[in-house]
Structure formats: C-alpha cells, structure tokens
Amino acid sequence: ETGVTQSPTHLIKTRGQQVTLRCSSQSGHNTVSWYQQALGQGPQFIFQYYREEENGRGNFPPRFSGLQFPNYSSELNVNALELDDSALYLCASSYEETQYFGPGTRLLVL
Amino acid sequence: QQPVQSPQAVILREGEDAVINCSSSKALYSVHWYRQKHGEAPIFLMILLKGGEQKGHDKISASFNEKKQQSSLYLTASQLSYSGTYFCGTETSRTGNQFYFGTGTSLTVIP
C-alpha cells in the first residue's frame, strides 16, 4: 500500500470528449507526477506539480493539463480525446526523492 | 532521453542470478529502480544518487556509475515473486522535474 489513490479505476470515453482523472496522495507529499503508460510500454512522464504549480513537463500537447490542490489531491485533464490517449494513467507522489504510485486509471477512448 | 535497458527479457530458474542494465545518454543525478507486475502500478525498489554509491536490501542490489551514466540492478538467488517488468527511472537534476523511465526488462522466474 502506497497511500496513493486514484479515481476512477476504469473509464470509457469517445473521441473528442474531455476527461478528468483524480489522484489523492499522502499528507506531506508536496510533489505529484502524472504518467501515461500504453499497453506493453513503460510509463511516459506527462508533468509534475510542486506546491500547486507545474514544475516540469514531458513531451505532451497542451490539451493535457493538470491541477494540484492544497489538500494533496490533484487532477489530470485531457481535452479533445484521441484514440491514442487510451492508456493506463498513473499518478505518483514524492517524498524524500521516492515516488509512490497509485493503482492507475485505465482509460479507453473509442 | 529515454534510458535504454538490457536485456529486453530474461528467463531464470529459481535460485539463479540476473543483472539488468540501464544506460542513459544524459548526465544523471539519480537512478530509480521499479518492478511492475502485470496490471499493477510500479513498485519502488531503490534509488541511487549521484556519487556512485551501491545500495541493496535482501537479495536485490544496484550500482550507479555516474561517469558512464549507467546503473545495474543485481538480483541474486531469484524467487518466483521476482517475476515482472523492471524499469529504471532517471533524473538529470536535483529538482527532478523531468523523470524518464527506461525501456523495461521483462524477467520471468520459473520453478
């Protein structure tokens, strides 16, 4: 158990729709990162938030955006969904340079 | 910037040893190692920081050669529970605002 939870566990959307994924981390974990993991691939870094501000970003378009809240929860928003957005989305909170992953949200875009 | 791991896949019998390598084209601040089982989230194994220290716990250890920008994960006397995909993850700076997972190594331990 890492103490990091994500919701929902599974989600089906259609192309062009928008989606919001949620993550809740442990108290004191000021940094949260989001990753996209396509089937059979390793996780790809989307972005990182530190104390409610974006602190770094991977090679993802602006339609991927996020928020981090003071209560150690965060959101990943994806607009104008594309078929290739189908993947497992993982959030990870960091404490003392260790990342603790949530169980992920599996998104299917039809 | 994705680190390259080798081998891509390995099959071991229980009790055998394995080495997984991770190589980066960039200077590294830290290397993390994770194991991920099918359908589950990655589980943190250990972190190695700039300075070339070697770490380990139980029968799993790792080394970090900062000059060569390489890290190796050593699994000794493998157990069935070691099966999974192993990823290294790298940071190029202390602020850690860019984290890259390696290409992955699938490890299968058979009885």
Side-chain angles (χ1 to χ4, degrees):
Chain A
E1 287 294 325
T2 63
V4 180
T5 59
Q6 290 186 244
S7 63
T9 54
H10 295 82
L11 200 53
I12 300 175
K13 290 284 189 178
T14 55
R15 196 169 46 181
Q17 285 188 309
Q18 178 265 342
V19 70
T20 297
L21 309 181
R22 294 181 173 84
C23 172
S24 180
S25 54
Q26 294 186 55
S27 175
H29 290 206
N30 293 320
T31 302
V32 65
S33 302
W34 284 89
Y35 296 85
Q36 179 194 67
Q37 187 173 24
L39 205 58
Q41 306 288 322
Q44 299 292 313
F45 176 74
I46 302 175
F47 45 58
Q48 182 185 89
Y49 277 78
Y50 174 69
R51 293 189 173 178
E52 302 162 51
E53 294 206 3
E54 188 176 294
N55 189 41
R57 191 176 184 91
N59 190 26
F60 280 80
R63 61 189 184 84
F64 285 78
S65 63
L67 286 171
Q68 186 186 25
F69 303 101
N71 66 352
Y72 304 105
S73 66
S74 65
E75 290 180 355
L76 164 65
N77 299 289
V78 187
N79 293 321
L81 283 166
E82 301 176 359
L83 297 179
D84 285 348
D85 295 335
S86 295
L88 178 69
Y89 288 85
L90 297 161
C91 78
S93 68
S94 300
Y95 181 74
E96 294 187 347
E97 300 179 338
T98 299
Q99 289 193 99
Y100 299 90
F101 281 85
T105 293
R106 191 162 295 282
L107 173 66
L108 177 61
V109 182
L110 301 175
Chain B
Q1 297 204 22
Q2 183 178 32
V4 176
Q5 291 181 229
S6 63
Q8 287 186 324
V10 58
I11 299 175
L12 302 173
R13 291 200 177 275
E14 253 184 309
E16 290 183 337
D17 302 340
V19 180
I20 299 172
N21 300 302
C22 172
S23 181
S24 172
S25 60
K26 298 259 182 184
L28 298 176
Y29 168 74
S30 70
V31 179
H32 304 224
W33 284 97
Y34 293 85
R35 176 172 60 220
Q36 185 176 29
K37 292 186 181 280
H38 184 69
E40 298 179 9
I43 298 296
F44 171 81
L45 295 176
M46 65 186 74
I47 178 174
L48 300 103
L49 299 177
K50 186 176 173 179
E53 60 181 283
Q54 184 155 347
K55 283 200 170 182
H57 53 82
D58 199 13
K59 297 183 176 66
I60 301 176
S61 62
S63 63
F64 177 23
N65 187 321
E66 180 191 333
K67 288 183 181 177
K68 291 186 177 180
Q69 297 155 193
Q70 293 174 347
S71 177
S72 295
L73 184 72
Y74 307 93
L75 301 113
T76 58
S78 57
Q79 306 167 16
L80 295 176
S81 62
Y82 285 7
S83 293
T85 301
Y86 289 77
F87 292 101
C88 64
T90 59
E91 295 173 305
T92 55
S93 70
R94 169 64 181 88
T95 54
N97 55 14
Q98 293 262 341
F99 190 89
Y100 294 96
F101 276 88
T103 49
T105 296
S106 172
L107 185 138
T108 304
V109 181
I110 57 176

